[in-house]
Amino acid sequence: MHRRDRRHDSPARRRTALALSAALLAAAPLLTACGSDAHPGAAAVVGGERIDVSSLQAQVRAARDAQSASPQSDQLIAATGDLGRQKLNGMIFDRILDEVAADQGVTAGRAELQRTRAAFVRDNGGEEGLEAVLLQQQGVAPGQIDDVVRRNVLMTKIIEKLGITETPEGQQKLQELFAAASKSLDIDVNPRYGAWDDTKVQLDTGADTAPWLIKVSRQQAAAGAEQLPG
């Protein structure tokens, strides 16, 4: 069991996991606010549970505060664009991920989370290096890193359990799995933030873009965490 845990912590697997997270967060589109507020106080309702606007705003504020404290604040803020919709995209996805993980009997234990975070820290030259990479590439504040770690642990374990490969067939299988879970949760987004697309598993602009799930590649994994797309 211990040997298997160490295998899961290999640099290639960690880079692939971070690539998955980066692809997810990069998938949040830029939307124009429209429509009336049909969801008072809620940014979205997922599986009957609200994601409050106040919770979303708190995530955005934490990230913007961290960006503003950086010497590269202007570049960081410009690079993350419409951070509110990006954060909401991630918050909804995490609910879908929890649904898939529960269906597959996959969990993320405290020891696994601690071990994975420690590995990410090593791979990025220390805690400050990890914070800088995630803030720059994904708009993640230091206090939000544990959420990224949990997401990557669950994603990696789901992929391994199902034997998902980076072939088109494997990626299609993963896409269909998450699309089905998304549909089952009856996701309802406040129109001011856009609309949720179950097929793409993301907030949608109506453009014909590729699903984020198929964007993970061996080239992304080989590039390493420092070069992940934003």
Side-chain angles (χ1 to χ4, degrees):
M1 178 61 70
H2 291 300
R3 287 193 297 272
R4 182 173 179 175
D5 286 343
R6 286 195 295 271
R7 178 176 61 82
H8 288 178
D9 284 341
S10 68
R13 289 178 184 275
R14 292 193 295 273
R15 288 193 295 266
T16 299
L18 275 177
L20 279 164
S21 183
L24 158 65
L25 295 175
L30 302 181
L31 299 172
T32 302
C34 61
S36 61
D37 189 351
H39 310 267
V45 179
V46 183
E49 297 183 359
R50 293 161 55 95
I51 296 177
D52 291 331
V53 171
S54 59
S55 297
L56 172 60
Q57 291 175 337
Q59 284 218 8
V60 173
R61 185 164 52 250
R64 289 302 190 210
D65 287 347
Q67 290 173 333
S68 296
S70 169
Q72 293 82 36
S73 59
D74 291 343
Q75 297 94 316
L76 292 177
I77 292 171
T80 48
D82 193 335
L83 191 57
R85 289 180 174 84
Q86 181 175 324
K87 289 294 186 184
L88 180 58
N89 198 81
M91 293 171 80
I92 294 173
F93 177 81
D94 282 344
R95 304 287 182 90
I96 300 170
L97 177 59
D98 286 344
E99 183 78 3
V100 174
D103 288 345
Q104 298 299 321
V106 167
T107 60
R110 178 177 297 181
E112 288 178 295
L113 297 173
Q114 292 174 339
R115 186 167 57 248
T116 299
R117 175 159 182 158
F120 286 162
V121 168
R122 289 196 303 272
D123 289 347
N124 288 277
E127 188 73 34
E128 291 185 1
L130 178 61
E131 291 178 0
V133 166
L134 291 178
L135 184 63
Q136 177 181 359
Q137 302 290 352
Q138 302 180 31
V140 174
Q144 297 165 349
I145 292 177
D146 284 344
D147 294 334
V148 175
V149 171
R150 181 178 182 275
R151 183 183 302 138
N152 282 282
V153 168
L154 289 176
M155 284 294 299
T156 300
K157 292 179 75 172
I158 289 168
I159 289 169
E160 290 178 343
K161 180 170 183 178
L162 296 177
I164 299 294
T165 65
E166 292 179 25
T167 63
E169 294 79 12
Q171 295 298 315
Q172 181 64 27
K173 180 179 179 180
L174 188 64
Q175 177 71 23
E176 291 173 352
L177 177 68
F178 276 79
S182 176
K183 185 175 182 179
S184 74
L185 290 172
D186 192 23
I187 298 168
D188 190 12
V189 175
N190 188 314
R192 69 173 64 180
Y193 297 106
W196 185 261
D197 189 310
D198 290 320
T199 301
K200 296 177 182 178
V201 199
Q202 67 179 57
L203 284 168
D204 188 34
T205 61
D208 185 18
T209 56
W212 70 267
L213 283 165
I214 67 173
K215 294 181 181 179
V216 179
S217 66
R218 289 186 176 86
Q219 289 75 23
Q220 284 176 315
E226 297 85 349
Q227 300 177 10
L228 290 176

